[in-house]
Amino acid sequence: MTIVESLSPFTGSWQGHNRMRFMPTDEYQESVSAAVVAVTAKDYVTIEYTWAHEGQPQNGLLLLGSGPGSGPGSGPGEGGPGEGGPAAEGEAPPSDASSGTGAGTGVTAVWVDSFHASPQWLTLTGAVDDDRVVRLACTYPAPEGPDWGWQIHIEPGDGNGGRITMHNLVPGYDPYQVVEATYRRQA
């Protein structure tokens, strides 16, 4: 299934809520969120979204494509999540249950976000699974020690709503959700 086929129920304009936290023991901070999901250049999907952190407007963009060379380990990129984090290697972690990537159609995404990835982009790779969920992952350099990981999961829903979650993978700990954005079709 191509990325366009997978995310077709999620195309359009959406309103919703964004929940974000830094660490798994932190309380989520909530804000209003909006998203526009569109097919572009025939074979790609863009997801533009807005949200806020401590009252400050934030926004982001995902550009997703499928096809040859779009899979775990298909090549390095740049960027780094976190507040102005360092440049990332952009390679997906090995394909296993903990990384969130696995069998399915290969996908590559470029992600920019004014808060999580600024000032550089992050390149993620992954797959569209049989359940239509897009699961993307990459690694990025930590301040000290081994690289950390980042995952983005896009659940297109059934045409009435969708969900995007983002997870941090810290070596030695279970992956934990950092962001959850839920959307309903804009009336």
Side-chain angles (χ1 to χ4, degrees), residues 54-125:
E54 296 180 349
Q56 296 298 308
Q58 305 291 334
N59 64 351
L61 171 73
L62 275 158
L63 172 63
L64 302 110
S66 56
S70 298
S74 66
E78 298 178 341
E83 284 187 77
E89 294 300 319
E91 294 181 7
S95 180
D96 65 20
S98 66
S99 72
T101 60
T105 302
V107 177
T108 297
V110 174
W111 178 51
V112 293
D113 185 286
S114 58
F115 185 85
H116 297 289
S118 183
Q120 298 180 353
W121 65 67
L122 186 65
T123 301
L124 300 102
T125 58

XYZ file of all heavy atoms in Angstrom, residues 54-125:
471
model
N 3.291 26.431 26.127
C 3.277 27.534 27.087
C 2.784 28.822 26.443
O 3.344 29.893 26.622
C 4.665 27.713 27.711
C 5.087 26.506 28.536
C 6.461 26.642 29.178
O 7.214 27.589 28.836
O 6.771 25.784 30.017
N 1.715 28.683 25.633
C 1.084 29.831 24.996
C 1.773 30.332 23.744
O 1.263 31.247 23.094
N 2.904 29.766 23.383
C 3.629 30.193 22.190
C 3.251 29.313 20.999
O 3.372 28.090 21.085
C 5.141 30.117 22.417
C 5.651 31.054 23.489
C 5.384 32.508 23.126
O 5.722 32.975 22.050
N 4.730 33.219 24.042
N 2.805 29.921 19.884
C 2.420 29.129 18.713
C 3.606 28.329 18.156
O 4.733 28.822 18.112
C 1.969 30.172 17.691
C 1.817 31.442 18.430
C 2.645 31.346 19.673
N 3.332 27.107 17.742
C 4.325 26.220 17.131
C 3.704 25.618 15.881
O 2.483 25.558 15.751
C 4.724 25.098 18.100
C 5.219 25.559 19.453
C 6.568 26.262 19.399
O 7.369 26.039 18.503
N 6.805 27.135 20.375
N 4.540 25.150 14.968
C 4.020 24.464 13.795
C 5.042 23.466 13.279
O 6.215 23.495 13.657
C 3.597 25.446 12.697
C 4.764 26.245 12.148
O 5.863 26.215 12.668
N 4.514 26.968 11.083
N 4.554 22.562 12.426
C 5.426 21.545 11.868
C 4.914 21.048 10.537
O 3.779 21.334 10.132
N 5.772 20.295 9.857
C 5.446 19.744 8.553
C 6.133 18.400 8.387
O 7.330 18.258 8.686
C 5.930 20.690 7.447
C 5.857 20.163 6.019
C 4.404 20.118 5.548
C 6.691 21.019 5.090
N 5.370 17.431 7.933
C 5.901 16.128 7.528
C 5.681 15.987 6.035
O 4.575 16.249 5.542
C 5.152 14.996 8.232
C 5.606 14.597 9.623
C 4.489 13.890 10.357
C 6.826 13.714 9.538
N 6.707 15.596 5.293
C 6.603 15.252 3.880
C 6.923 13.774 3.782
O 8.030 13.352 4.135
C 7.570 16.072 3.030
C 7.686 15.664 1.560
C 6.360 15.841 0.832
C 8.792 16.456 0.880
N 5.949 12.971 3.338
C 6.084 11.517 3.327
C 6.021 10.973 1.910
O 5.194 11.411 1.105
C 4.954 10.881 4.142
C 4.862 11.326 5.594
C 3.627 12.172 5.806
C 4.844 10.142 6.500
N 6.885 9.993 1.625
C 6.880 9.329 0.328
C 7.139 7.851 0.490
O 7.745 7.412 1.461
N 6.672 7.068 -0.478
C 6.921 5.630 -0.452
C 7.533 5.214 -1.776
O 7.489 5.951 -2.747
C 5.633 4.847 -0.183
O 4.639 5.159 -1.129
N 8.103 4.015 -1.772
C 8.677 3.498 -2.998
C 10.097 3.020 -2.784
O 10.542 2.843 -1.649
N 10.839 2.823 -3.876
C 12.207 2.305 -3.772
C 13.067 3.170 -2.859
O 12.982 4.392 -2.892
C 12.716 2.367 -5.212
C 11.501 2.395 -6.062
C 10.449 3.091 -5.239
N 13.866 2.509 -2.058
C 14.777 3.212 -1.159
C 14.126 3.769 0.070
O 14.739 4.484 0.833
N 12.849 3.494 0.283
C 12.137 4.029 1.439
C 11.965 2.957 2.473
O 10.959 2.411 2.616
C 10.735 4.506 1.034
O 10.796 5.519 0.112
N 12.891 2.642 3.232
C 12.709 1.629 4.249
C 13.745 1.790 5.313
O 14.630 2.613 5.202
N 13.637 1.005 6.350
C 14.620 1.098 7.406
C 16.028 0.959 6.843
O 16.308 0.112 6.017
C 14.269 -0.075 8.328
C 12.807 -0.282 8.101
C 12.592 0.029 6.649
N 16.893 1.893 7.262
C 18.284 1.847 6.854
C 18.537 2.341 5.449
O 19.578 2.078 4.876
N 17.606 3.136 4.839
C 17.788 3.558 3.463
C 18.717 4.745 3.310
O 19.012 5.143 2.212
C 16.441 3.871 2.810
O 15.851 4.987 3.419
N 19.165 5.325 4.397
C 20.147 6.392 4.248
C 20.065 7.407 5.354
O 19.064 7.542 6.030
N 21.142 8.163 5.539
C 21.186 9.144 6.611
C 20.481 10.430 6.247
O 20.300 10.742 5.079
C 22.683 9.376 6.814
C 23.293 9.078 5.493
C 22.427 8.014 4.874
N 20.119 11.184 7.271
C 19.537 12.508 7.105
C 20.099 13.418 8.160
O 21.143 13.140 8.732
N 19.413 14.520 8.407
C 19.886 15.456 9.405
C 18.732 15.849 10.302
O 17.598 15.636 9.982
C 20.433 16.714 8.726
C 21.620 16.429 7.842
C 22.103 17.680 7.150
O 21.337 18.657 7.064
O 23.242 17.680 6.710
N 19.061 16.516 11.403
C 18.046 17.060 12.291
C 18.194 16.489 13.671
O 19.048 15.663 13.933
N 17.325 16.932 14.564
C 17.357 16.401 15.910
C 16.201 16.904 16.711
O 15.956 18.095 16.741
N 15.427 16.020 17.318
C 14.313 16.485 18.117
C 14.786 17.124 19.397
O 15.905 16.920 19.831
C 13.504 15.219 18.373
C 14.428 14.097 18.162
C 15.510 14.582 17.254
N 13.903 17.884 19.980
C 14.216 18.561 21.229
C 14.361 20.033 20.950
O 14.383 20.495 19.829
N 14.484 20.807 21.967
C 14.598 22.242 21.804
C 15.931 22.567 21.160
O 16.966 22.592 21.808
C 14.509 22.937 23.155
C 13.112 23.000 23.679
C 13.060 23.833 24.917
O 13.095 25.058 24.814
O 12.993 23.227 26.002
N 15.898 22.805 19.843
C 17.116 23.158 19.136
C 18.169 22.086 19.223
O 19.337 22.378 19.286
N 17.747 20.812 19.252
C 18.664 19.692 19.423
C 19.719 19.630 18.348
O 19.613 20.253 17.304
N 20.766 18.877 18.581
C 21.851 18.764 17.629
C 21.421 17.996 16.389
O 20.404 17.313 16.379
C 22.922 17.987 18.412
C 22.164 17.235 19.439
C 20.962 18.084 19.765
N 22.212 18.081 15.336
C 21.917 17.372 14.091
C 21.855 15.878 14.346
O 22.603 15.333 15.152
C 22.985 17.682 13.053
N 20.952 15.207 13.642
C 20.763 13.765 13.827
C 21.363 12.994 12.676
O 21.511 13.506 11.580
C 19.275 13.440 13.924
N 21.673 11.768 12.922
C 22.109 10.876 11.866
C 20.945 10.529 10.958
O 21.126 10.300 9.790
C 22.709 9.606 12.463
C 23.990 9.857 13.239
C 25.075 10.458 12.373
O 25.219 10.031 11.222
O 25.760 11.385 12.845
N 19.725 10.455 11.520
C 18.530 10.244 10.735
C 18.294 8.818 10.292
O 17.416 8.567 9.488
N 19.058 7.881 10.763
C 18.856 6.499 10.361
C 17.897 5.823 11.320
O 17.948 6.048 12.518
C 20.184 5.747 10.337
C 21.123 6.253 9.266
C 22.416 5.495 9.230
O 22.557 4.496 9.944
O 23.303 5.922 8.481
N 17.052 4.977 10.756
C 16.079 4.270 11.578
C 16.772 3.212 12.418
O 17.739 2.596 11.978
C 15.037 3.607 10.697
N 16.296 2.990 13.647
C 16.824 1.896 14.450
C 16.517 0.568 13.778
O 15.662 0.499 12.893
C 16.054 2.024 15.764
C 15.479 3.392 15.777
C 15.306 3.779 14.348
N 17.171 -0.502 14.181
C 16.887 -1.811 13.591
C 15.408 -2.130 13.670
O 14.717 -1.744 14.605
C 17.700 -2.785 14.450
C 18.753 -1.953 15.080
C 18.174 -0.580 15.228
N 14.916 -2.870 12.674
C 13.500 -3.205 12.608
C 13.169 -4.302 13.608
O 13.556 -5.448 13.443
C 13.162 -3.669 11.197
O 11.807 -4.006 11.117
N 12.494 -3.931 14.678
C 12.016 -4.895 15.658
C 10.852 -4.292 16.406
O 10.458 -3.173 16.152
C 13.131 -5.360 16.598
C 13.680 -4.250 17.487
O 12.996 -3.221 17.682
O 14.791 -4.409 17.998
N 10.297 -5.035 17.334
C 9.103 -4.578 18.044
C 9.350 -3.296 18.808
O 8.460 -2.466 18.941
C 8.616 -5.665 18.991
N 10.544 -3.067 19.312
C 10.782 -1.877 20.108
C 10.947 -0.633 19.257
O 10.774 0.464 19.736
C 12.029 -2.068 20.986
O 13.187 -2.161 20.186
N 11.300 -0.772 17.985
C 11.519 0.405 17.162
C 10.258 0.888 16.482
O 10.212 1.999 15.986
C 12.582 0.127 16.098
O 12.073 -0.736 15.110
N 9.233 0.038 16.389
C 8.005 0.454 15.747
C 8.051 0.336 14.240
O 7.129 0.721 13.561
N 9.140 -0.157 13.658
C 9.193 -0.357 12.227
C 9.149 -1.831 11.950
O 9.554 -2.646 12.756
C 10.460 0.260 11.618
O 11.589 -0.364 12.205
C 10.521 1.749 11.820
N 8.651 -2.199 10.832
C 8.567 -3.614 10.528
C 8.183 -3.828 9.086
O 8.380 -2.967 8.246
N 7.596 -4.982 8.790
C 7.219 -5.335 7.431
C 6.138 -4.392 6.933
O 5.342 -3.878 7.685
C 6.732 -6.772 7.394
N 6.102 -4.192 5.629
C 5.115 -3.331 5.006
C 5.779 -2.498 3.940
O 6.954 -2.653 3.648
N 5.013 -1.596 3.325
C 5.541 -0.719 2.306
C 6.491 0.284 2.940
O 6.146 0.935 3.920
C 4.385 0.039 1.610
O 3.493 -0.913 1.049
C 4.908 0.964 0.538
N 7.672 0.441 2.360
C 8.658 1.376 2.887
C 8.208 2.816 2.753
O 7.535 3.194 1.793
N 8.573 3.626 3.730
C 8.227 5.046 3.761
C 9.442 5.826 4.242
O 10.153 5.389 5.150
C 7.038 5.322 4.722
C 6.740 6.813 4.807
C 5.803 4.556 4.302
N 9.667 6.977 3.629
C 10.662 7.929 4.107
C 9.950 9.246 4.357
O 9.056 9.626 3.599
C 11.786 8.137 3.077
O 12.460 6.907 2.884
C 12.791 9.177 3.554
N 10.322 9.942 5.416
C 9.703 11.225 5.734
C 10.769 12.238 6.106
O 11.787 11.892 6.704
C 8.721 11.071 6.893
N 10.518 13.470 5.742
C 11.303 14.600 6.204
C 10.393 15.370 7.138
O 9.229 15.639 6.814
C 11.765 15.484 5.031
C 12.468 16.734 5.541
C 12.675 14.700 4.102
N 10.927 15.708 8.325
C 10.109 16.353 9.344
C 10.796 17.610 9.833
O 11.992 17.600 10.153
C 9.908 15.378 10.502
C 9.133 15.897 11.669
C 7.918 16.511 11.653
C 9.515 15.817 13.047
N 7.512 16.812 12.942
C 8.486 16.391 13.804
C 10.627 15.306 13.694
C 8.529 16.480 15.190
C 10.682 15.388 15.080
C 9.643 15.966 15.818
N 10.033 18.695 9.893
C 10.472 19.931 10.527
C 9.411 20.333 11.536
O 8.223 20.100 11.331
C 10.714 21.068 9.508
C 11.893 20.757 8.614
C 9.484 21.368 8.679
N 9.837 20.880 12.646
C 8.926 21.318 13.687
C 9.604 22.471 14.406
O 10.776 22.373 14.764
C 8.636 20.160 14.650
C 7.603 20.515 15.690
O 7.937 21.279 16.622
O 6.468 20.018 15.599
N 8.885 23.554 14.614
C 9.480 24.753 15.213
C 9.976 24.526 16.634
O 10.814 25.278 17.126
C 8.475 25.907 15.195
O 7.289 25.555 15.890
N 9.515 23.486 17.289
C 9.926 23.206 18.664
C 10.803 21.963 18.751
O 11.882 21.993 19.306
C 8.675 23.021 19.540
C 8.972 22.843 20.996
C 9.155 23.936 21.815
C 9.050 21.573 21.555
C 9.422 23.779 23.166
C 9.311 21.403 22.900
C 9.500 22.508 23.715
N 10.339 20.855 18.195
C 11.012 19.572 18.374
C 12.254 19.387 17.500
O 13.160 18.669 17.884
C 10.046 18.414 18.101
C 8.895 18.368 19.037
N 9.022 18.015 20.360
C 7.588 18.653 18.846
C 7.840 18.069 20.947
N 6.958 18.458 20.046
N 12.278 19.952 16.308
C 13.368 19.663 15.383
C 14.120 20.895 14.921
O 15.063 20.776 14.161
C 12.823 18.906 14.158
N 13.721 22.066 15.332
C 14.337 23.292 14.857
C 15.775 23.403 15.364
O 16.056 23.018 16.491
C 13.514 24.481 15.351
O 14.032 25.677 14.857
N 16.709 23.874 14.590
C 16.578 24.529 13.296
C 16.846 23.612 12.104
O 16.977 24.091 10.985
C 17.647 25.611 13.364
C 18.764 24.959 14.125
C 18.064 24.061 15.129
N 16.966 22.316 12.300
C 17.257 21.406 11.201
C 16.144 20.394 11.032
O 15.348 20.185 11.927
C 18.579 20.674 11.464
C 19.747 21.631 11.541
C 21.053 20.911 11.797
O 21.078 19.720 12.034
N 22.130 21.651 11.739
N 16.105 19.769 9.871
C 15.099 18.737 9.657
C 15.597 17.390 10.122
O 16.782 17.191 10.353
C 14.630 18.682 8.215
C 15.671 18.279 7.215
C 16.271 17.052 7.101
C 16.225 19.076 6.189
N 17.165 17.048 6.063
C 17.153 18.287 5.474
C 16.031 20.390 5.787
C 17.874 18.760 4.389
C 16.749 20.855 4.710
C 17.653 20.052 4.037
N 14.672 16.482 10.243
C 14.950 15.117 10.662
C 14.422 14.196 9.579
O 13.321 14.407 9.068
C 14.234 14.846 11.989
C 14.480 13.538 12.703
C 15.928 13.440 13.158
C 13.558 13.428 13.899
N 15.191 13.200 9.187
C 14.758 12.217 8.201
C 14.452 10.917 8.919
O 15.291 10.401 9.651
C 15.849 11.983 7.135
O 16.139 13.227 6.499
C 15.386 10.983 6.095
N 13.242 10.420 8.727
C 12.797 9.176 9.361
C 12.468 8.161 8.281
O 12.067 8.530 7.175
C 11.551 9.424 10.210
C 11.706 10.433 11.342
C 11.103 11.757 10.952
C 11.041 9.915 12.596
N 12.614 6.893 8.598
C 12.229 5.821 7.695
C 11.362 4.834 8.457
O 11.396 4.768 9.679
C 13.458 5.090 7.106
O 14.246 4.577 8.166
C 14.287 6.021 6.248
